[in-house]
Amino acid sequence: MRNTSRKVVVVGTGFVGTSIAFNDQPRLINELVLIDVDREKAEGEALDLLDGMSWARKTSKFGLATILIARMADIVVITAGVNQKPGQTRLELIDCQRGIND
């Protein structure tokens, strides 16, 4: 039998990371881990996901951890970044983001 277990780590629980967690988890993921420098935000998002477990697969697990857990994941999605500031161009924003994901 084919192993369909998937462990996904989402780094960054801003608008994009949270959207990925909420939209893809019931169909594709058995275990979802959220990581963010703002641990309280990541914990809050994980708790929101737990509230929705009634519609998720019974084998689904949600939680949060440190980046070290990413080594054991099947998929790692990195959405970490800074928001665009008023008056900042997209090219200037790219320069700010470059240092974050290196």
Side-chain angles (χ1 to χ4, degrees):
M1 177 176 255
R2 187 174 176 204
N3 183 2
T4 58
S5 176
R6 287 189 186 83
K7 182 174 188 170
V8 175
V9 173
V10 176
V11 180
T13 57
F15 295 117
V16 175
T18 302
S19 295
I20 288 169
F22 276 86
N23 290 320
D24 290 339
Q25 63 83 14
R27 294 177 281 141
L28 305 173
I29 300 169
N30 295 96
E31 187 173 352
L32 176 66
V33 178
L34 302 177
I35 300 172
D36 198 291
V37 293
D38 184 348
R39 186 166 173 83
E40 288 181 2
K41 168 111 168 77
E43 183 176 5
E45 298 298 346
L47 290 171
D48 286 346
L49 285 164
L50 284 169
D51 283 343
M53 282 191 69
S54 61
W55 49 268
R57 291 188 293 182
K58 290 184 181 187
T59 58
S60 296
K61 293 189 251 176
F62 309 102
L64 63 152
T66 65
I67 197 69
L68 296 174
I69 200 82
R71 290 186 289 169
M72 297 181 286
D74 297 304
I75 299 170
V76 177
V77 181
I78 300 174
T79 66
V82 296
N83 292 329
Q84 189 173 7
K85 295 180 176 102
Q88 185 179 39
T89 68
R90 299 288 286 176
L91 291 175
E92 291 169 338
L93 180 62
I94 290 171
D95 286 337
C96 291
Q97 306 290 15
R98 190 173 293 140
I100 292 171
N101 294 320
D102 285 345

